[in-house]
Amino acid sequence: MNGASDSLANWLKRGITSVLEKEIQPPPFIIWCDPAKEWRDILLNLSAGGDFELWAEEEHELQLRERFFSSSRKPGVIWIPKNPDDLSYSKAFACNAEKIISFSIPEALIEYGLQISSEDIEQFRDLLKSHVKEWLDRPKSGWKELNLVKIKETLIDDERFLNILCSKYREPKLSMGKEHFSVFRRRAVDDFGLPEPVESGLEKWRINVLACILVTEAAELHPDNPPGEEENIIPPGPKRKKTLKLLSWMKKNIDYLDAFELLVKIADGKTPLQFWAKSFTELPQPVSSFIAEKMFFKLEVERISRIGNLEELSNYLEMNHALYQAHAKSFWGKQAQKRIAWDKIILLAHSAGLIHKAAGIQKSWVAVEDAVSWYTSEGWKVDHTGERILSEDPGLPDALLGVRAMLRRAYQRTLDVTNIKLSELIYQAGSKLDLNYSGDIISELVQSASTRNPVAVMVLDAFRFDLGIRLSGLINNGEPVERSTVDAARSPLPSITSIGMALCLPGLQDEIKIKVSASTKPEFSVTVEGYKGNLAVASDRRQWLKNHYKLKDTAFLTVSEVLAASRADFVKSKERGKLIFIFGSEFDTEGHSGQLQIKGGDFQLDRYHKVIRLLREGGYSTIVVVTDHGFFHWAPATDEVEPKPEGEILWDSRRAVIGRKLKSSTSLKFELPGSDLECMVPRSVNAYKTYGKIGFFHGGATLQELIIPVIVARWPQKTQKVKAVIKPIENITTLTPRIEIEPGQSGLFDATDQELTGRQVIVKVVQPESGRLIFISEESVAIEPGGDKQAVTLVFKNRAEFGEKLEIRLLDDDDEETLETRPVIFLVEADEDWDY
């Protein structure tokens, strides 16, 4: 039996089978008299599993009699839509029935054991048939509160109500009979306080309903300043509460989001909410009306743009930060396809707060160590926000361009004054910086590489400390425990690639020797005892590593080669060896070309993160990331460009000069490592008047150039990626569908197991036979052990036919392993753009 053992369905079946299972001849049968025709569908349901034979055709009694006498006798039920007293031709065999049943549905429920008042029976007698069909398989305890309200909710529950209200079709499609529509109409008016629906005008009705809901929500959230149309506002009480709960479901259920977004914009035209929103002199709480939210945003942008100094701006944005967050998390800030740019205000608020907090921080520094401590704990955040406000953002409203310009100037002032103080402290310390070089920090770890613990080393050019923190954060995202940590190292002076890359090398036992000659190419000669090559040259550095660690040629790859290779080409550690080196120069290349300042670093960080995931999949359980130097962006003013030092100059750049007997009253002097030469750099962010581009700087002694990250990420030798699953979906009904995905069960592992790792996934919708791509996710999504479900928005690529069967594929982003597939039907009409 299906359903609960004490369900109405099983009670009825037991009553029927107790008669039909009698071992008598001829076999027993039951006559089921049903003049109201309320039992036929229920009997068809009960007999569907083959528990008994049912005759339920609506045929004339004469035909039924002939059929009875011409058929071999079998146990079964014969349904006749008449009272027992009204039987005519059927009387010839009805007298032989083992039992004649003629009770009505209310009488059956009373016999079943339910306490139903005669008053209730009279109120919903006509609805009981549909109600019983809905609750046939429920346990008996679920029938206790049988009353008019429960019946209405069962026949037209909130989900069905929302399906009509948020239907994607211009003409909502009703899958209900007249008796159901009467309940639908009664629920709209009695339960929710909404306008009364008319079956032939549901299109206009639901627009009016949404308008009513939007103004009611505005009145609820802002009782001191409600919208003007009182006749469209549902009064306070249970009806308003239920209606606002409906509104909340509309904005949370992934199946309703697209229709809700479109319908609200239409419904807004029937409300006074645009003019109502203008009446606020301060930013209020978010509402569901698009036109009101858009006006709130416009007015807030105007208020922010009128602020003229950083302190006032920071204080104002901080005071309203919680409100900005609320608007950014609301429907129009987060879930809508076309969102209102509250996130842009949050970015400016975050930037203003960090920059303002950093103002004057250098006054508390008394030693170089204080500056380094601040930079590695908090100061890197200022560089990160500086990158975000220096990069171009086409989504930033024009009215906020002036605010961004103010923050850019403030960031650059912070960059300047903190490094002026650093220059003073370095000078007072005798130009000493008590930090290790990257190669020294990682030497022991690299030496420990073995077949049981293979190690991969990524050597990146121009990788600033804040980038290292952010890459480490990407590594740890989705992991049950912290995998990655960041240590601080120093770059040499001058902080340039030729010397910095040599000092990244692990395993250097002896001090390097540096020679500089302005008349030779390359200009730098970096040597170490026992090796004839020049460590200032990339190919010679690789050869030194190959000799020192006895590596194969296949142990050296670039970032691009890893990303372009197939999984089988590089992930097997036995083929490449216990130690490999991956080289990347993307930040240095994009920095010098000017692209880094325009685009920011997120794209390249995502590429590096993918390389690390691929290395981990290949068995490299320890991954190290080092760099040669940092950088900063600057366009120096005339007074920030100073003459080069005097003396015997062997090499010069915008940020450093190397030579002998160098003199400059405005520069800092350092000893060149492994040499009798001197290096002079301008103080803070100043530049020398010499060759070279302006904008992307490294070579000098700012925190951004000198303090560099060393990342160490470790995993257990045996790991398993978390599984991922697609939440059920039957149809695609929009060209911007959303698919929900979440972590799946991973065998014996639970979300806290250290052996369980996160994974990046993508979603594709394809034609199953040809593989033709129809949709793909906007970007990869991190699946975290024990994490929540996530909604993935898909981008339309190619047209499919209406009604065509497609396949959703959930894939691992690293190797496109298929994690799960689901069939789905494409139900987007050719004219899917609605025209109201």
Side-chain angles (χ1 to χ4, degrees):
M1 293 184 179
N2 297 324
S5 61
D6 63 343
S7 67
L8 177 62
N10 285 324
W11 178 78
L12 289 168
K13 287 179 184 178
R14 283 193 294 269
I16 293 170
T17 56
S18 67
V19 175
L20 301 184
E21 288 177 352
K22 292 181 179 180
E23 296 182 358
I24 57 176
Q25 290 297 330
F29 66 95
I30 296 172
I31 298 291
W32 199 296
C33 292
D34 182 20
K37 299 183 180 181
E38 58 188 6
W39 282 107
R40 182 174 182 273
D41 290 342
I42 296 172
L43 290 172
L44 287 170
N45 184 310
L46 296 176
S47 64
D51 292 282
F52 57 91
E53 185 178 21
L54 173 67
W55 290 6
E57 291 74 18
E58 293 196 49
E59 53 190 340
H60 193 277
E61 276 191 82
L62 181 59
Q63 292 175 304
L64 183 61
R65 186 184 70 177
E66 291 177 356
R67 178 184 175 191
F68 178 87
F69 286 114
S70 63
S71 302
S72 59
R73 181 79 67 85
K74 294 180 182 179
V77 176
I78 301 174
W79 174 80
I80 303 176
K82 284 190 174 184
N83 280 313
D85 294 338
D86 295 332
L87 295 179
S88 56
Y89 295 104
S90 301
K91 284 182 179 180
F93 61 86
C95 59
N96 296 320
E98 188 68 17
K99 187 173 184 178
I100 296 177
I101 297 176
S102 60
F103 51 29
S104 65
I105 283 181
E107 290 168 344
L109 291 176
I110 293 171
E111 191 171 330
Y112 175 48
L114 301 182
Q115 301 297 318
I116 308 176
S117 69
S118 57
E119 182 182 350
D120 284 341
I121 289 176
E122 289 304 316
Q123 284 192 74
F124 54 67
R125 176 182 291 275
D126 294 338
L127 305 176
L128 272 174
K129 180 176 70 172
S130 297
H131 181 78
V132 167
K133 286 167 61 178
E134 290 287 333
W135 280 18
L136 264 179
D137 293 320
R138 289 202 178 190
K140 195 171 185 179
S141 59
W143 290 75
K144 287 183 177 179
E145 295 179 6
L146 185 61
N147 53 49
L148 186 59
V149 173
K150 282 292 181 182
I151 287 180
K152 288 189 294 180
E153 289 183 353
T154 304
L155 293 176
I156 303 295
D157 60 11
D158 292 342
E159 183 178 357
R160 293 189 188 183
F161 200 90
L162 284 173
N163 283 340
I164 296 171
L165 196 56
C166 288
S167 169
K168 86 171 196 71
Y169 299 102
R170 183 179 356 179
E171 292 286 353
K173 298 180 179 179
L174 288 176
S175 56
M176 63 177 78
K178 289 186 176 181
E179 61 182 19
H180 284 74
F181 185 79
S182 66
V183 178
F184 175 76
R185 181 172 57 242
R186 189 183 299 181
R187 286 214 72 194
V189 177
D190 295 352
D191 296 353
F192 299 110
L194 298 172
E196 181 174 343
V198 179
E199 192 167 357
S200 60
L202 284 180
E203 173 190 348
K204 292 181 179 180
W205 172 80
R206 64 179 180 157
I207 297 301
N208 292 332
V209 162
L210 274 173
C212 172
I213 293 174
L214 293 175
V215 295
T216 298
E217 181 202 41
E220 174 75 11
L221 293 174
H222 304 284
D224 296 334
N225 184 23
E229 294 185 354
E230 292 185 11
E231 66 277 9
N232 287 328
I233 298 174
I234 300 170
K239 293 181 181 180
R240 176 187 284 192
K241 187 175 181 180
K242 289 200 74 170
T243 299
L244 294 181
K245 190 175 181 181
L246 269 187
L247 177 62
S248 177
W249 288 341
M250 290 183 216
K251 296 185 293 182
K252 291 178 180 177
N253 190 310
I254 195 170
D255 296 326
Y256 304 140
L257 298 183
D258 293 325
F260 179 77
E261 180 172 351
L262 179 61
L263 291 167
V264 165
K265 290 181 179 180
I266 300 168
D268 269 333
K270 296 182 174 294
T271 73
L273 291 175
Q274 181 176 13
F275 304 101
W276 170 77
K278 284 183 179 180
S279 68
F280 287 89
T281 57
E282 296 179 350
L283 180 64
Q285 290 290 333
V287 295
S288 299
S289 163
F290 172 74
I291 204 166
E293 277 293 289
K294 192 174 180 181
M295 181 57 65
F296 291 158
F297 181 79
K298 178 178 181 293
L299 295 173
E300 187 62 14
V301 166
E302 291 174 356
R303 283 188 283 266
I304 293 170
S305 65
R306 291 194 290 266
I307 300 174
N309 65 78
L310 178 64
E311 182 174 5
E312 184 183 352
L313 176 68
S314 176
N315 290 337
Y316 180 83
L317 294 177
E318 182 179 3
M319 177 181 68
N320 289 296
H321 192 266
L323 268 176
Y324 300 147
Q325 290 279 13
H327 283 272
K329 292 178 181 178
S330 70
F331 179 83
W332 295 107
K334 184 177 181 179
Q335 294 156 294
Q337 296 285 357
K338 295 182 180 179
R339 299 167 190 166
I340 297 174
W342 290 103
D343 59 321
K344 305 302 180 184
I345 295 182
I346 289 177
L347 168 61
L348 297 181
H350 182 71
S351 300
L354 283 173
I355 295 169
H356 184 247
K357 182 180 178 182
I361 189 68
Q362 73 281 355
K363 295 176 183 178
S364 63
W365 301 344
V366 296
V368 174
E369 291 76 14
D370 296 331
V372 173
S373 176
W374 170 78
Y375 185 66
T376 55
S377 61
E378 296 292 329
W380 67 267
K381 299 175 186 177
V382 181
D383 283 338
H384 182 199
T385 202
E387 174 192 297
R388 297 175 73 182
I389 59 176
L390 288 174
S391 60
E392 294 303 317
D393 185 353
L396 189 70
D398 290 346
L400 292 177
L401 294 177
V403 175
R404 185 181 66 180
M406 182 201 310
L407 291 174
R408 285 177 171 178
R409 293 190 297 270
Y411 165 66
Q412 292 182 318
R413 281 197 301 271
T414 301
L415 191 67
D416 189 16
V417 297
T418 52
N419 283 300
I420 287 174
K421 181 65 173 183
L422 176 68
S423 298
E424 293 174 2
L425 295 174
I426 290 175
Y427 177 78
Q428 293 169 10
S431 300
K432 293 181 180 180
L433 188 62
D434 190 20
L435 281 173
N436 292 321
Y437 294 113
S438 300
D440 295 331
I441 292 175
I442 68 171
S443 285
E444 185 176 342
L445 190 152
V446 172
Q447 190 63 42
S448 70
S450 65
T451 54
R452 291 180 60 84
N453 180 36
V455 175
V457 181
M458 290 182 67
V459 183
L460 307 178
D461 196 350
F463 199 59
R464 199 167 59 186
F465 192 82
D466 66 297
L467 297 172
I469 293 285
R470 289 156 62 188
L471 179 57
S472 181
L474 290 174
I475 295 170
N476 287 325
N477 183 32
E479 297 287 344
V481 296
E482 185 180 70
R483 307 290 191 189
S484 174
T485 58
V486 183
D487 198 1
R490 62 158 296 181
S491 63
L493 283 167
S495 49
I496 58 176
T497 298
S498 300
I499 302 174
M501 282 297 181
L503 292 170
C504 279
L505 295 174
L508 289 174
Q509 303 297 323
D510 302 300
E511 184 179 0
I512 62 172
K513 304 296 182 183
I514 299 178
K515 294 181 180 180
V516 182
S517 173
S519 60
T520 62
K521 291 291 182 181
E523 300 161 306
F524 290 91
S525 172
V526 182
T527 59
V528 65
E529 187 175 343
Y531 181 63
K532 295 181 180 180
N534 181 3
L535 299 181
V537 178
S539 59
D540 286 0
R541 290 194 296 271
R542 296 190 186 195
Q543 188 61 48
W544 183 88
L545 288 168
K546 183 178 178 182
N547 295 348
H548 185 76
Y549 291 107
K550 298 180 175 56
L551 302 176
K552 303 175 184 179
D553 289 337
T554 54
F556 300 95
L557 293 161
T558 65
V559 166
S560 295
E561 286 172 340
V562 172
L563 293 174
S566 68
R567 184 176 186 182
D569 284 341
F570 75 94
V571 299
K572 295 180 180 178
S573 57
K574 290 181 179 179
E575 295 181 5
R576 295 205 174 267
K578 64 183 180 182
L579 177 63
I580 63 172
F581 287 84
I582 314 296
F583 300 92
S585 59
E586 289 77 8
F587 277 94
D588 190 68
T589 300
E590 291 194 350
H592 285 295
S593 69
Q595 290 300 303
L596 182 58
Q597 182 171 345
I598 295 172
K599 299 189 304 182
D602 287 344
F603 175 73
Q604 296 301 342
L605 285 175
D606 287 339
R607 292 178 80 240
Y608 291 165
H609 183 213
K610 186 167 185 176
V611 169
I612 289 170
R613 299 197 308 270
L614 291 168
L615 292 171
R616 183 195 70 197
E617 280 294 288
Y620 292 93
S621 54
T622 299
I623 300 174
V624 181
V625 183
V626 293
T627 189
D628 53 352
H629 58 75
F631 64 87
F632 67 92
H633 297 288
W634 193 261
T638 304
D639 61 347
E640 293 167 340
V641 179
E642 56 188 71
K644 291 184 292 185
E646 297 177 352
E648 183 186 354
I649 296 177
L650 301 177
W651 178 88
D652 64 354
S653 72
R654 291 282 186 182
R655 288 291 292 158
V657 169
I658 298 175
R660 295 185 177 90
K661 298 180 181 180
L662 300 178
K663 294 182 180 179
S664 171
S665 60
T666 60
S667 301
L668 297 173
K669 183 184 289 188
F670 299 87
E671 293 180 359
L672 188 65
S675 167
D676 62 352
L677 300 176
E678 301 168 336
C679 171
M680 290 198 106
V681 299
R683 293 172 184 258
S684 186
V685 295
N686 290 358
Y688 289 134
K689 190 175 182 180
T690 184
Y691 77 93
K693 292 183 178 180
I694 288 176
F696 179 76
F697 282 144
H698 62 85
T702 60
L703 290 164
Q704 289 71 22
E705 297 163 289
L706 271 178
I707 310 303
I708 52 178
V710 175
I711 303 173
V712 177
R714 292 185 173 92
W715 287 267
Q717 292 178 9
K718 293 183 178 181
T719 61
Q720 176 179 316
K721 283 186 177 181
V722 64
K723 294 184 182 299
V725 296
I726 307 168
K727 297 294 286 182
I729 177 175
E730 296 180 355
N731 304 316
I732 289 178
T733 58
T734 171
L735 292 182
T736 53
R738 307 179 210 219
I739 306 295
E740 287 186 319
I741 57 178
E742 64 182 351
Q745 295 295 322
S746 298
L748 299 177
F749 294 89
D750 63 39
T752 61
D753 283 324
Q754 294 193 21
E755 291 80 9
L756 197 60
T757 67
R759 73 161 84 224
Q760 298 286 131
V761 300
I762 58 174
V763 178
K764 292 182 179 180
V765 178
V766 301
Q767 291 174 328
E769 294 82 13
S770 66
R772 183 169 180 260
L773 183 65
I774 308 301
F775 295 95
I776 189 170
S777 49
E778 289 180 308
E779 55 189 15
S780 65
V781 177
I783 299 294
E784 178 180 352
D788 296 327
K789 66 181 178 183
Q790 302 179 63
V792 179
T793 301
L794 304 186
V795 177
F796 177 67
K797 291 296 183 182
N798 292 293
R799 189 80 197 184
E801 296 297 324
F802 184 88
E804 185 174 353
K805 294 179 179 179
L806 303 176
E807 184 175 80
I808 304 174
R809 295 178 181 174
L810 180 61
L811 307 172
D812 189 293
D813 186 39
D814 296 334
D815 55 17
E816 295 220 346
E817 173 192 357
T818 300
L819 306 176
E820 188 179 24
T821 63
R822 281 189 180 273
V824 69
I825 299 176
F826 184 79
L827 294 180
V828 182
E829 297 174 332
D831 58 344
E832 75 144 9
D833 292 330
W834 300 344
D835 182 19
Y836 277 90

